[in-house]
Amino acid sequence: MLKFIFWSLLAANAALFAYGQGYLGHFSGNEREPARLRNQLNGGRLTLVSAERANGAAAAADTAGSPAAAAKPAPPQLLACLEIGNFVLADARRFEAQLAPLGLGDRQARHNLPGTEVSSYIVFIPPQGSKEAADKKAAELKQLGVSNYFVMSDNSAMRWAISLGVFKTEPAAQNLLAALQKQGVRSAKLAPRMSGSKLLAYQFRDVDATLKGKLEQLRAGHPGTEARACK
């Protein structure tokens, strides 16, 4: 029994001696092996850097390799509004059928182009802004002895204006205007009325380069039409 204890203590002391000399390394990783340092390749070229410098280099590497660091593609250029015209009714229907596969929905609209010829002349009092204001102005006309008038209530630029007469010729309209001024109607005016145009145009909103190319290709099949910025 004593021999066993003796040899056990001897083995433990030998192990402690080897550990203390660094032959068995260290559990914390701070090893003391002189031979290990002597056997390193190019040990003289090693350079110690500070923790701040090492962390900065690592962050720069991460940033350079991240998707966010890659150049972002430029957003596509959009035209706010593109108009294509001018179509007669038959060609407009054919063009509209060709547009259907594009599925533009409310990004597409059709409208009549304004006429270019005078059809008549109107004597009127400009829009009053509301039905109440127009009725008030009509009551004033009655007091001045004017009974031939009409309050315009349609959804147009002349809504709540008061028409005093429409004439085929400008001299006839001028005669009425002069007579009304003698009666004390100072706010009456004269203006030509344009004939309705039979030409149509299409307007397209948020047009990118791809859509513009498709529209131009369709337009090319309709000689005499043109693409232009919306007014």
Side-chain angles (χ1 to χ4, degrees):
M1 183 66 181
L2 292 176
K3 289 182 178 182
F4 174 77
I5 295 174
F6 172 77
W7 288 111
S8 298
L9 291 174
L10 183 61
N13 287 332
L16 289 174
F17 177 79
Y19 179 78
Q21 295 300 314
Y23 296 118
L24 300 180
H26 195 279
F27 294 116
S28 65
N30 184 20
E31 298 176 344
R32 294 191 304 151
E33 276 193 25
R36 179 178 298 180
L37 292 177
R38 288 195 302 269
N39 291 333
Q40 286 181 344
L41 297 176
N42 299 321
R45 297 183 181 180
L46 296 178
T47 303
L48 296 179
V49 299
S50 64
E52 292 79 4
R53 182 177 176 184
N55 291 337
D62 290 342
T63 302
S66 65
K72 295 182 178 179
Q77 296 294 324
L78 297 179
L79 289 175
C81 185
L82 176 69
E83 181 174 280
I84 297 180
N86 303 329
F87 297 92
V88 297
L89 182 57
D91 288 342
R93 288 174 177 171
R94 185 162 62 90
F95 183 66
E96 195 163 337
Q98 294 170 335
L99 291 171
L102 299 181
L104 298 177
D106 59 2
R107 294 169 61 194
Q108 168 188 323
R110 188 182 77 179
H111 68 97
N112 288 82
L113 295 173
T116 57
E117 296 181 358
V118 175
S119 61
S120 59
Y121 297 85
I122 183 172
V123 179
F124 67 102
I125 293 176
Q128 299 300 297
S130 66
K131 182 179 183 304
E132 292 74 15
D135 289 342
K136 181 179 178 181
K137 180 61 69 174
E140 294 176 2
L141 291 173
K142 283 184 179 181
Q143 292 178 355
L144 294 172
V146 178
S147 58
N148 188 16
Y149 62 85
F150 173 72
V151 177
M152 305 174 71
S153 59
D154 58 339
N155 291 318
S156 69
M158 294 286 282
R159 183 176 175 84
W160 307 128
I162 301 176
S163 173
L164 299 168
V166 178
F167 302 87
K168 283 290 186 181
T169 65
E170 186 174 8
Q174 289 283 8
N175 290 336
L176 175 63
L177 182 62
L180 290 170
Q181 290 175 344
K182 288 180 180 180
Q183 289 180 261
V185 181
R186 305 302 180 190
S187 56
K189 298 180 180 296
L190 186 153
R193 299 180 71 186
M194 310 306 291
S195 60
S197 173
K198 295 181 180 179
L199 297 177
L200 301 114
Y202 290 83
Q203 291 186 347
F204 306 91
R205 292 189 296 276
D206 301 330
V207 178
D208 58 19
T210 301
L211 177 57
K212 184 179 180 182
K214 293 178 179 179
L215 294 174
E216 286 286 2
Q217 186 176 3
L218 294 178
R219 187 199 64 78
H222 297 267
T225 60
E226 65 174 2
R228 55 189 176 248
C230 299
K231 295 180 180 180

